[in-house]
Amino acid sequence: MAIQIVMDHTGDTRHTFEQTDPKGLAQAEKRFKELTGQGFTAATRTSPGELKVTRSFDPTADETLFYPRLVGG
């Protein structure tokens, strides 16, 4: 089972899906495109404590983290 974790000002929301389920994959890819289109940065876990920024949906990723664009002042 794979997971997409969306970070925001309220904490995080977790969306799980089966990588072998075409419907689940389609929903995960749609969510990926929507979030990155809104300015979220996506990163996949490569090993414990290691993340790699990604610009395209990876159906084989076990964990994808989305975090909002940082705003400075």
Side-chain angles (χ1 to χ4, degrees), residues 41-61:
T41 299
T44 56
R45 185 166 311 280
T46 56
S47 62
E50 298 289 324
L51 293 172
K52 179 181 176 186
V53 173
T54 184
R55 306 253 186 259
S56 59
F57 178 70
D58 179 1
T60 65

Side-chain angles (χ1 to χ4, degrees), residues 8 22 31 33 61 64 67-68 71-72:
D8 64 19
R31 185 179 303 112
K33 290 178 180 179
T64 305
Y67 52 95
V71 179

Side-chain angles (χ1 to χ4, degrees), residues 2-55:
I3 188 166
Q4 292 177 320
I5 304 169
V6 183
M7 305 296 293
D8 64 19
H9 68 282
T10 64
D12 67 79
T13 305
R14 295 166 184 258
H15 304 274
T16 58
F17 63 97
E18 289 292 337
Q19 294 165 307
T20 57
D21 174 30
K23 184 177 178 182
L25 272 177
Q27 289 174 335
E29 184 171 12
K30 179 181 178 190
R31 185 179 303 112
F32 182 97
K33 290 178 180 179
E34 287 174 352
L35 290 167
T36 55
Q38 293 172 14
F40 281 78
T41 299
T44 56
R45 185 166 311 280
T46 56
S47 62
E50 298 289 324
L51 293 172
K52 179 181 176 186
V53 173
T54 184
R55 306 253 186 259

